[in-house]
Amino acid sequence: MTSSLRRVVAAATTLVLGVVGLAAAALTTAPAAQAASLVSVPSFGSNPGQLGMSLFVPDSLPARPAVLVAVHYCTGTAQAMYDGAQFDELATRYGYIVIYPQANRSGSCFDVSSAEALLHGGASDPTSIVSMVRYVQQRYTTDTSRVFVTGVSSGAMMTQVLLATYPDVFAAGSAFAGVPATCFSTTSPPPGTGSQAPWNSDCSGGRLVRTGQQWGDLARAAYPGYTGARPRVQLWHGSQDTTLSYVNHGEAIKQWTNVLGVSATPASTDYPASGLVRTRYGATGDRAPVEAITLQNVGHNLPVDAAAAIHFFGLDSTSTPQPTTPAPTTPAPTTPAPTTPAPTTPAPTTPPPSPTPAIACSVAYSVNQWNTGFTANITVKSNVALNGWTLTWTWPSGQIVTQAWSSVTTQSGSFVTAKNAAWNSSIPAGGSFQLGLNGSHTGTNTAPTNFVLNGAPCSRG
């Protein structure tokens, strides 16, 4: 288990999960994020899992902002999750706060297997993460009805565990390549030993197949006696995942449809992009109780579509955030208008020449490749506001797009056209968006250099 998941197009390595000793820390005031930076919070309250906490607070927030917890993969870090996904940029755009937990045990995996982790109020990582949420809620007066969680691999497993153990805290979750809650349950080592719980090969290999009722009962047992509302769930999985078998995708659908009391028969099935199959359960709209997306012919290194996740949460609202720092109370002095009108300049009789179109965008292009295939990640920064976008380029080496995400992509010969998806059409001036694709090549995989956004050329970032 040594493969790694990095930034948007990568996934976690070995998911060895264990229990660490008990620890507690007094609630203190952490430094506020300045200029939309990632800030470490050294002490945030009860921390039995001995986790680290980093926090991203946009410069402007609405009166009662939402909170998103973004949980990293094994071998990952809070910083890597911040750098690698677009949740922070979208937070700046839409006005919500992001918490980035940091695992501190060997392998940097989160505990999703011990008895303590799988019980509401237990002495392990989920309780530490909820302490982070409580800290933010107290400090920023957030909307307690809008708390969400997302994660990748080990973080996706933690996402589903949190939805089971703390349904009173989270309104929805989005899990990228995870397993059902409690699936990784193992015999826990003694608390405080610092040893690792063993890898659950039956779960990772897809050999734990249960009925929806059985999975649902296990999730409900994580918070005995709870009768309140349950969070909505979005599930992402690659059909060729050999690290956490694709079987777990179907088992998770069974679990959460049962927990939410909806039919396990899809209410709708559609294909939002090439190679993506989306099924919705309990409703057909964008806020269905359960939404499941299969990425066909993709392994554990699946992309993280941050825009689609926050759309499922409903965080991509159009409300205008307000500055977190109060405006000055003393009005600026005004300058009286001049009493003598300025002289006017007559309009020229000959129109000036048309200016050369300015560079309106920049594109960062990165690629992971193998024999005859590759995965590309494209980040586009626009100097102007966009309400709908089309990005085009020409492959210099005859590459072929086989799958795309966060865009509707078509190809004619070597010419590629990528148009916005339904949830990422509006981009503010100075903002950016990400898209990704899988493709094939014949041995030469030269990067394109001629990106054009809405008819204007882009520089390479």
Side-chain angles (χ1 to χ4, degrees), residues 227-455:
T227 58
R230 294 281 178 172
R232 297 182 300 110
V233 186
Q234 185 185 58
L235 303 165
W236 302 75
H237 220 106
S239 66
Q240 302 302 312
D241 194 333
T242 57
T243 301
L244 295 174
S245 170
Y246 180 64
V247 170
N248 285 303
H249 188 58
E251 297 303 293
I253 292 171
K254 290 182 194 176
Q255 180 174 63
W256 294 110
T257 53
N258 181 268
V259 167
L260 288 160
V262 300
S263 173
T265 300
S268 66
T269 300
D270 64 353
Y271 308 88
S274 174
L276 267 64
V277 181
R278 178 172 61 193
T279 50
R280 288 168 168 163
Y281 302 82
T284 60
D286 293 345
R287 309 288 184 269
V290 178
E291 181 175 273
I293 301 96
T294 293
L295 290 83
Q296 295 178 320
N297 300 314
V298 173
H300 198 56
N301 292 2
L302 82 174
V304 176
D305 194 333
I310 72 155
H311 183 69
F312 177 75
F313 297 152
L315 287 175
D316 53 350
S317 65
T318 56
S319 60
T320 303
Q322 300 299 319
T324 55
T325 303
T329 56
T330 303
T334 58
T335 302
T339 56
T340 303
T344 58
T345 302
T349 56
T350 304
S354 299
T356 302
I359 297 294
C361 50
S362 62
V363 174
Y365 179 90
S366 62
V367 64
N368 293 327
Q369 67 182 43
W370 56 94
N371 296 334
T372 59
F374 68 98
T375 297
N377 181 48
I378 303 171
T379 301
V380 183
K381 181 177 181 180
S382 175
N383 298 336
V384 299
L386 303 175
N387 185 17
W389 51 263
T390 299
L391 183 72
T392 62
W393 69 90
T394 301
W395 290 122
S397 305
Q399 298 96 321
I400 297 175
V401 177
T402 57
Q403 183 182 50
W405 49 91
S406 295
S407 67
V408 178
T409 298
T410 57
Q411 182 170 350
S412 177
S414 295
F415 186 75
V416 181
T417 301
K419 296 185 177 182
N420 61 272
W423 55 83
N424 62 358
S425 60
S426 298
I427 310 298
S432 65
F433 58 90
Q434 293 179 330
L435 62 146
L437 56 90
N438 288 330
S440 62
H441 63 88
T442 59
T444 301
N445 191 24
T446 307
T449 58
N450 58 339
F451 290 99
V452 175
L453 178 64
N454 288 1

Side-chain angles (χ1 to χ4, degrees), residues 46-59:
S46 177
N47 187 13
Q50 296 183 339
L51 302 184
M53 174 185 176
S54 292
L55 186 64
F56 178 81
V57 181
D59 293 333

Side-chain angles (χ1 to χ4, degrees), residues 211-222 230 254-256 258-259:
T211 66
Q213 184 68 42
Q214 290 170 329
W215 280 122
D217 288 344
L218 288 169
R220 286 182 285 269
R230 294 281 178 172
K254 290 182 194 176
Q255 180 174 63
W256 294 110
N258 181 268
V259 167

